[in-house]
């Protein structure tokens, strides 16, 4: 009986420790909206904008310089980057092919996060534990298909991620 009580106490203590030290993992969606009819290598900053959706209901839309767009997350959260045509979503596709570390603090487990190969292609990654208070500048690389035909190769824009303290 004494062994059973000790085991029960240790089990309950372990559960409280795990629950007390774990942080809820949230998923944030960062979407690049692309005017797939107008985009070319000289105007990608003018014909694109970002939106982000977070589980806490704080949704953002970029304004002004989209390279200053900052997504705010917690360590341990998951970010999904995806693309959509802002002018022809039924026929055009925006494939997010990779997220590349560009500067500041790298908050992921590697420098290049590759797309999932789907259609449309997306990138998903988890913000590493212990990155609280850090900011990363990254490059989002994406390709545009107009009715299935490639439009101009790979485009890139450099927004930011901030991990809450």
């Amino acid at each position: 009986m004494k062994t059973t009580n000790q085991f029960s106490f240790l089990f309950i203590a372990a559960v409280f420790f795990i629950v007390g030290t774990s942080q809820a993992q949230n998923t944030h969606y960062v979407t690049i909206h692309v005017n797939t009819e107008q985009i070319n290598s000289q105007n990608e900053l003018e014909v694109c904008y970002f939106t982000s959706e977070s589980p806490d209901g704080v949704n953002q839309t970029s304004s002004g310089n989209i390279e200053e767009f900052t997504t705010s997350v917690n360590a341990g959260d998951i970010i999904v980057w995806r693309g959509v045509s802002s002018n022809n979503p039924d026929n055009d596709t925006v494939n997010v092919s990779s997220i590349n570390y560009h500067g500041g603090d790298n908050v992921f487990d590697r420098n290049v996060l590759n797309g999932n190969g789907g259609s449309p292609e997306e990138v998903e990654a988890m913000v590493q534990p212990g990155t609280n208070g850090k900011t990363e500048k990254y490059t989002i690389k994406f390709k545009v298909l107009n009715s299935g035909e490639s439009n101009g190769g790979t485009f890139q824009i450099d927004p930011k991620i901030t991990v809450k303290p």
Side-chain angles (χ1 to χ4, degrees):
M1 179 111 143
K2 185 176 180 184
T3 305
T4 304
N5 286 342
Q6 288 175 336
F7 177 74
S8 296
F9 174 76
L10 288 175
F11 177 76
I12 291 170
V15 168
F16 279 111
F17 176 77
I18 290 168
V19 170
T21 60
S22 68
Q23 181 177 347
Q25 189 177 60
N26 293 309
T27 301
H28 301 261
Y29 294 92
V30 177
T31 304
I32 184 162
H33 300 261
V34 180
N35 184 321
T36 53
E37 182 180 312
Q38 294 182 355
I39 192 165
N40 61 53
S41 61
Q42 286 80 41
N43 71 356
E44 53 207 6
L45 298 179
E46 289 83 34
V47 300
C48 298
Y49 68 94
F50 287 104
T51 59
S52 71
E53 303 167 36
S54 66
D56 60 5
V58 178
N59 300 327
Q60 298 174 277
T61 300
S62 62
S63 62
N65 181 356
I66 65 171
E67 290 191 317
E68 292 300 317
F69 182 73
T70 303
T71 303
S72 184
V73 298
N74 290 305
D77 283 355
I78 293 173
I79 303 174
V80 177
W81 291 269
R82 55 190 177 184
V84 66
S85 172
S86 60
N87 60 294
N88 194 358
D90 293 333
N91 295 317
D92 294 348
T93 304
V94 178
N95 290 316
V96 177
S97 54
S98 69
I99 301 298
N100 299 26
Y101 170 74
H102 184 74
D105 303 300
N106 191 341
V107 301
F108 300 105
D109 63 348
R110 57 193 180 280
N111 289 338
V112 177
L113 307 168
N114 291 309
N116 63 5
S119 182
E121 188 168 19
E122 299 178 340
V123 175
E124 182 176 316
M126 184 179 76
V127 177
Q128 293 300 292
T131 56
N132 300 65
K134 298 188 179 213
T135 298
E136 175 177 332
K137 184 87 167 160
Y138 67 93
T139 301
I140 181 171
K141 293 188 177 188
F142 60 98
K143 298 176 183 179
V144 172
L145 300 175
N146 298 109
S147 298
E149 298 294 321
S150 178
N151 173 3
T154 302
F155 300 98
Q156 58 186 42
I157 299 175
D158 304 324
K160 300 175 186 176
I161 294 171
T162 298
V163 183
K164 297 173 189 171

